[in-house]
Amino acid sequence: MGRWEPNARGRLEQAALELYIERGYEQTTVAEIAKRAGLTERTFFRHYADKREVLFAGAGALQELFVSAVAGAPGSAAPIEAVGAALEAAAVVLQERRDSARRRQTVIAANAELRERELIKLASLSAALADALRQRGVADTAAGLAAEAGIAVFKIAFERWLDETGRRSLAQLIQESLDELRDVTAGRPSAER
Amino acid sequence: MGRWEPNARGRLEQAALELYIERGYEQTTVAEIAKRAGLTERTFFRHYADKREVLFAGAGALQELFVSAVAGAPGSAAPIEAVGAALEAAAVVLQERRDSARRRQTVIAANAELRERELIKLASLSAALADALRQRGVADTAAGLAAEAGIAVFKIAFERWLDETGRRSLAQLIQESLDELRDVTAGRPSAER
């Protein structure tokens, strides 16, 4: 980032997360976010449609990442391997953002409307993954199941990653959760990892 | 049902589903539902809090069914087997209600707010299943994964059941989807069933 670029978007996100945690999401105004970031409201609205958008702006990029990783997986990859590749591609990007991901999760957990919005985001990601698998010629039900399984793994590994002290990377936790899901669905006992 | 019991609840549900499909969910009023059912608004509100409740009143019973089936599974049952028992218990109850389930699904698919509410219902069912598994001593991550896998199977089998011409029972489709999920997560090719 050059000197001429004040990273408005990142500063607004950081200010918003701080305020949502300090005062609560509902109580925070766009004016306060802009002020905390040392920017104007006009600048805020150049980057985000509203204060909720700050928390969900990354969803589109995540979906694109998922879809292109599935499309780019080797032709010989099984559906669940293509899904695994998508989750790991996302993990690499998210790995550096653990602190803000944690704060974001705290804000979302505290607000019913945001929890609903998060469920919608995950359902959209699952539908996009399933579509990307169908594009590879995966049959309808298998595509749906592999996508849902992938999102379940992503969600659970993500929560573990935020809860842990950072010993394991998100990519490791995703791989472990994929392995554990395979054991669980096979009815095999699976040691707590 | 005796002669003295006019089945107000069932009549209201049927009238509501008919009207939601004919006129749209948003456009339908409680007064119209009561009239179509040959009942009063007061009777409507004795059975349902609002017009949305008609579509989601079954969620509590479904959750209880899931939880008691998991709790009642043999101690030797693997987590995914306990989840399978829960899904099959629900399938037996739902099997007789295919026509209203289909109409309900049509109404929900057409309305964003209802689709969100349905996602919340499924997330609550998943959380309840995971809790019931933890009560059986299943470790945290395995419980979460088995519950999410179970809800994914339930959702996909349910959609197949509504789409099909009724050849296979919901219970059969659930069993097949569980088998297919096991194959998918193992990276094994799985014939379209």
Side-chain angles (χ1 to χ4, degrees):
Chain A
M1 209 143 11
R3 223 173 311 184
W4 61 90
E5 160 63 280
N7 185 24
R9 203 174 164 82
R11 281 157 64 194
L12 287 165
E13 188 196 6
Q14 193 178 330
L17 287 172
E18 284 172 16
L19 288 165
Y20 295 165
I21 286 176
E22 287 168 26
R23 306 187 187 176
Y25 170 76
E26 303 245 14
Q27 285 71 46
T28 302
T29 66
V30 166
E32 288 166 337
I33 297 168
K35 193 179 171 204
R36 171 77 61 105
L39 296 162
T40 62
E41 279 190 70
R42 211 177 130 194
T43 303
F44 179 95
F45 288 114
R46 224 172 4 241
H47 290 279
Y48 299 106
D50 53 37
K51 67 178 182 172
R52 196 179 71 169
E53 177 73 10
V54 181
L55 298 165
F56 293 97
L62 189 57
Q63 183 162 321
E64 277 171 37
L65 201 62
F66 274 8
V67 168
S68 66
V70 167
S76 60
I80 199 71
E81 289 167 346
V83 167
L87 303 185
E88 284 177 40
V92 170
V93 174
L94 291 166
Q95 186 62 37
E96 298 311 308
R97 297 181 44 76
R98 184 159 175 267
D99 285 346
S100 68
R102 259 184 113 140
R103 277 182 290 176
R104 179 180 176 280
Q105 208 79 342
T106 303
V107 173
I108 286 173
N111 182 291
E113 184 210 322
L114 297 175
R115 288 197 302 273
E116 292 177 22
R117 182 67 188 73
E118 183 75 355
L119 287 176
I120 295 166
K121 187 187 93 176
L122 291 172
S124 302
L125 286 172
S126 176
L129 267 181
D131 276 344
L133 289 169
R134 287 187 199 105
Q135 295 282 326
R136 289 170 62 86
V138 177
D140 204 43
T141 305
L145 287 167
E148 291 281 340
I151 294 301
V153 160
F154 186 71
K155 194 177 130 189
I156 284 171
F158 196 80
E159 282 165 14
R160 289 171 79 183
W161 179 59
L162 296 183
D163 285 346
E164 281 197 353
T165 46
R167 269 184 310 132
R168 288 174 289 187
S169 69
L170 179 55
Q172 274 177 294
L173 287 164
I174 283 172
Q175 190 53 58
E176 289 178 19
S177 299
L178 272 170
D179 292 345
E180 195 163 352
L181 179 65
R182 189 192 56 222
D183 291 346
V184 160
T185 54
R188 277 195 297 273
S190 173
E192 184 75 319
R193 291 157 207 257
Chain B
M1 206 143 16
R3 224 173 308 180
W4 61 89
E5 160 62 280
N7 183 26
R9 204 174 163 82
R11 281 158 63 192
L12 287 164
E13 188 197 6
Q14 193 180 330
L17 287 172
E18 285 173 13
L19 287 165
Y20 295 165
I21 287 177
E22 287 169 25
R23 307 188 186 173
Y25 170 76
E26 304 246 15
Q27 284 71 46
T28 302
T29 66
V30 166
E32 288 166 335
I33 297 169
K35 192 179 170 205
R36 170 77 59 107
L39 296 162
T40 63
E41 278 190 71
R42 214 178 129 195
T43 303
F44 179 95
F45 288 114
R46 233 182 345 253
H47 291 279
Y48 300 105
D50 53 37
K51 66 177 183 173
R52 196 179 70 170
E53 177 74 9
V54 181
L55 298 165
F56 293 97
L62 189 58
Q63 183 162 322
E64 278 171 37
L65 200 62
F66 274 8
V67 168
S68 65
V70 167
S76 60
I80 198 72
E81 289 165 347
V83 167
L87 302 186
E88 284 176 41
V92 169
V93 174
L94 290 166
Q95 185 62 38
E96 299 309 309
R97 295 178 47 75
R98 185 160 174 265
D99 285 345
S100 69
R102 259 185 112 143
R103 277 182 290 177
R104 179 181 177 279
Q105 207 80 342
T106 302
V107 173
I108 287 173
N111 183 290
E113 183 211 322
L114 297 175
R115 287 196 303 272
E116 292 177 22
R117 183 65 190 73
E118 183 75 356
L119 288 176
I120 296 165
K121 187 188 92 176
L122 291 172
S124 303
L125 286 172
S126 176
L129 267 182
D131 275 346
L133 290 168
R134 287 186 199 103
Q135 294 283 326
R136 290 171 62 89
V138 177
D140 205 42
T141 304
L145 287 167
E148 291 279 341
I151 295 301
V153 160
F154 186 70
K155 195 177 128 189
I156 284 171
F158 196 80
E159 282 165 12
R160 288 171 80 183
W161 178 60
L162 295 184
D163 284 347
E164 280 196 353
T165 46
R167 269 185 310 131
R168 287 174 289 188
S169 69
L170 178 55
Q172 273 177 296
L173 287 163
I174 284 172
Q175 190 52 58
E176 289 177 19
S177 299
L178 273 169
D179 291 346
E180 194 162 353
L181 179 65
R182 188 192 58 222
D183 291 345
V184 161
T185 55
R188 276 196 296 275
S190 174
E192 183 75 323
R193 288 158 210 256

